């Protein structure tokens, strides 16, 4: 801002006074009030020294008192960073006596978001009412440009207005307000237009190998919501344990576990924060907990050797039990997805699956013809489980190593590929899935896998590496797929796996994933190179988290 004169008019008790400003003042647009007068406060210049001569000088016109002006505002400091901010001159917004949160006429669906924000800011909530000076107004505008989960946040004239085409977008606007106040003490003047780059953004937690309480999961949900993450994956069935109460097969459930009442509580909180909870029952591998209750169904080789966690998919009883569980939990988890696993089926890790497991080879030929093999039988199993969850109104997800090329059977096109590794036998490059036209979600084990105890050459990922190196295009290792496939990559999730469950406490896990999760949130919201350096980003995270531990 220059130091030239500008005219401002202030009205007090009906008296209008013209004021001329001839100084530059540090602005509230960045939340810094130091060295400035309060808005609207006149400051009287110091009296001149006594005249040195007795002859009075001609009387000068009265000098106006200077009033405050503002530099152009800067974008609010948030994680993830807002994608577009139109600066303006003005004091910005902060709560004051009489401030309230309201919803615009016809936007009553935003009442929950408005009440939450009012509680967080310590202001009143006045419901569906006209906004007054000092208020925040939330408005639904279904025709607004920007797409799902987008929002426009306008700070002008002592008010804030958040408008969005859907409830999630309005909610994310409230997260920006909350973070702006926490990081800078003010919501800067101007207009924010913000939207996510990817529709799926989240955290995956292995609660099968290690029990995490409902309260721990709820803490993660609140943390995720402020980061504008929208998915929590729960892997609750594995070789070590089955961790959710079951009515259809109580014999498979381990101790400790989440009760259905606890799951409903977690899901209810998630829904209120616009987060979908994705259940995962992994099959036909990783079913050790189920097989302990049903040992007859465990896959055995021609020599009679049992395979860890693998169910015999040639036996119809195997499908019956797994489908019972899928149907039961489809009702408990109301979100749009169900993860059906499909990774690391041990029958396919040997040199000659047909020779080692002739019962699987026979079942494949009987079902799919003489040219079919064990991979085809596994693909058919995947498709059948996907059909079960699809009938329950869910979209199926499956791990990438459960998809095989050039077989007698192809995986259903509607199953989302969750890409995590390229280490399996017969590994395929990520671009092969994309060329087939499949939709892919990124869980790259090089960057996004937090494996307790760091077995099998895993190391705990750092936020710095994710922030500086990773984008959703980096599906395997550290190489990106071509940009032309970007639209087929739906997003990603940071994943916690509890292979050596005793290596960390739940509190240590929460601390360890803190900065990696923030870096992941930033890169899923906007994959471009961030403007902040890593040290500045970490400092901002510390400020937003009020001094929480670092990684």
């Amino acid at each position: 801002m220059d130091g030239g004169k500008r005219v401002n008019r202030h009205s007090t008790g009906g008296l209008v006074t013209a004021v001329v400003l001839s100084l530059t003042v540090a602005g509230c647009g960045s939340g810094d009030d130091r060295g400035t007068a309060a808005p609207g406060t006149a400051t009287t210049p110091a009296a001149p020294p006594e005249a040195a001569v007795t002859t009075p000088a001609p009387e000068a016109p009265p000098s106006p008192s200077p009033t405050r002006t503002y530099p152009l505002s800067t974008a609010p400091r948030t994680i993830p960073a807002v994608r577009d901010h139109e600066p303006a001159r003005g004091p910005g917004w902060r709560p004051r006596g009489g401030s309230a949160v309201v919803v615009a006429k016809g936007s009553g669906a935003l009442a929950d978001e408005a009440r939450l924000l009012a509680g967080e800011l310590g202001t009143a909530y006045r419901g569906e009412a006209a906004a007054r000076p000092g208020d925040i107004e939330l408005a639904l505008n279904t025709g607004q440009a920007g797409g799902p989960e987008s929002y426009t946040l306008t700070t002008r004239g002592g008010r804030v207005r958040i408008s969005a085409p859907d409830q999630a977008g309005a909610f994310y606007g409230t997260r920006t307000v909350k973070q702006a106040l926490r990081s800078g003490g003010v919501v800067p003047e101007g207009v924010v237009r913000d939207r996510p780059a990817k529709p799926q953004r989240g955290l995956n937690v292995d609660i099968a190998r290690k029990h995490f309480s409902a309260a721990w999961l709820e803490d993660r949900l609140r943390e995720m919501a402020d980061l504008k993450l929208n998915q929590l994956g729960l892997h609750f069935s594995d070789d070590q344990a089955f961790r959710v109460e079951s009515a259809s097969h109580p014999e498979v459930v381990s101790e400790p576990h989440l009760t259905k009442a606890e799951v409903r509580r977690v899901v209810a909180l998630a829904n209120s924060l616009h987060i979908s909870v994705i259940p995962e029952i992994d099959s036909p591998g990783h079913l050790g907990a189920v097989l302990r209750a049903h040992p007859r169904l465990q896959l055995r080789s021609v020599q009679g050797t049992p395979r860890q966690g693998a169910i015999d998919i040639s036996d119809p009883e195997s499908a019956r039990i797994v489908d019972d569980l899928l149907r039961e939990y489809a009702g408990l988890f109301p979100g749009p997805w169900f993860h059906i696993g499909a990774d690391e089926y041990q029958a396919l890790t040997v040199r000659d699956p047909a020779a080692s497991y002739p019962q699987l080879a026979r079942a494949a030929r009987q079902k799919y013809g003489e040219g079919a093999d064990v991979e085809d039988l596994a693909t058919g199993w995947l498709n059948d489980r996907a059909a079960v969850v699809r009938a329950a109104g869910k979209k199926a997800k499956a791990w990438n190593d459960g998809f095989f090329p050039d077989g007698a059977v192809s995986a259903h096109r509607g199953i989302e590929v969750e890409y995590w590794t390229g280490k399996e036998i017969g590994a395929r490059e990520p671009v092969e899935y994309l060329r087939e036209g499949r939709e892919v979600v990124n869980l790259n084990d090089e960057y996004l896998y937090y494996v307790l105890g760091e077995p099998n050459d895993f190391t705990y990922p750092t936020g710095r590496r994710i922030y500086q190196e990773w984008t959703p295009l980096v599906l395997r290792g550290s190489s990106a797929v071509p940009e032309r496939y970007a639209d087929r990559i739906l997003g990603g999730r940071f994943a916690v796996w509890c292979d050596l469950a005793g290596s960390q406490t739940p509190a240590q896990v929460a601390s360890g994933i803190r900065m990696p999760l923030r870096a992941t949130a930033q890169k899923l919201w906007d994959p471009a190179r961030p403007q902040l350096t890593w040290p500045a980003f970490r400092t901002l995270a510390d400020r937003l988290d009020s001094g929480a531990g670092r990684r």
Side-chain angles (χ1 to χ4, degrees), residues 287-443:
L287 281 172
V290 171
L291 292 170
R292 278 195 294 276
H294 298 275
R296 187 184 67 79
L297 298 178
Q298 186 158 18
L299 179 66
R300 295 178 182 273
S301 71
V302 69
Q303 292 86 14
T305 305
R307 291 307 303 260
Q308 173 70 21
I311 203 166
D312 187 342
I313 59 176
S314 68
D315 189 327
E317 182 67 8
S318 297
R320 186 188 70 78
I321 290 176
V322 172
D323 290 349
D324 285 346
L325 294 167
L326 293 174
R327 293 187 184 100
E328 177 179 5
Y329 294 110
L332 183 62
F333 294 90
W337 294 279
F338 204 121
H339 202 305
I340 55 177
D343 65 311
E344 298 181 317
Y345 187 45
Q346 294 299 305
L348 298 174
T349 63
V350 298
R351 185 180 59 82
D352 188 345
S356 294
Y357 302 101
Q359 74 274 35
L360 300 183
R362 282 194 303 273
R365 291 192 296 271
Q366 289 169 2
K367 191 167 185 179
Y368 300 113
E370 280 304 310
D373 58 18
V374 177
E375 283 188 354
D376 292 315
L377 190 67
T379 300
W381 172 276
L382 172 67
N383 286 341
D384 290 346
R385 307 296 74 77
V388 170
V389 301
R390 195 161 53 248
K394 312 290 186 186
K395 189 175 183 67
K397 290 175 171 287
W399 300 112
N400 66 283
D401 50 329
F403 293 76
F404 308 105
D406 306 322
V409 184
S410 296
H412 191 280
R413 289 287 176 171
I415 304 171
E416 291 179 3
V417 179
E418 303 247 318
Y419 196 98
W420 72 282
T421 191
K423 301 182 177 76
E424 74 276 14
I425 294 174
R428 302 164 63 199
E429 291 291 336
V431 74
E432 293 186 35
Y433 302 84
L434 298 165
R435 282 181 189 142
E436 292 173 2
R438 296 192 182 276
E439 294 180 319
V440 176
V441 179
N442 192 324
L443 287 94

Side-chain angles (χ1 to χ4, degrees), residues 1 24-36 68-74 90-92 94 184 186:
M1 153 125 198
T24 302
V25 186
C28 184
S30 62
D32 189 351
D33 290 341
R34 293 172 293 183
T36 65
R68 184 167 187 173
T69 190
Y70 304 92
L72 281 174
S73 61
T74 57
R94 57 168 57 89
V186 68

Side-chain angles (χ1 to χ4, degrees), residues 187-263:
V187 182
E189 202 83 4
V191 181
V192 168
R193 295 180 181 88
D194 205 10
R195 67 199 182 282
K198 296 298 179 183
Q200 296 189 33
R201 310 174 303 280
L203 171 66
N204 213 71
V205 182
D206 170 10
I207 66 171
R209 295 178 178 96
K210 184 178 185 69
H211 175 67
F212 291 90
S213 69
W216 190 92
L217 293 172
E218 288 169 336
D219 286 344
R220 302 289 73 71
L221 287 169
R222 295 184 184 95
E223 180 181 12
M224 292 167 61
D226 281 355
L227 298 171
K228 302 183 175 78
L229 297 173
N230 63 5
Q231 289 182 342
L232 174 64
L234 293 182
H235 174 93
F236 63 86
S237 170
D238 211 303
D239 295 343
Q240 291 77 0
F242 192 103
R243 299 281 189 190
V244 175
E245 176 187 356
S246 172
S248 66
H249 289 282
E251 74 280 1
V252 308
V253 179
S254 307
E255 294 294 342
H257 63 265
L258 296 175
T259 68
K260 287 192 174 182
E262 287 175 319
V263 171

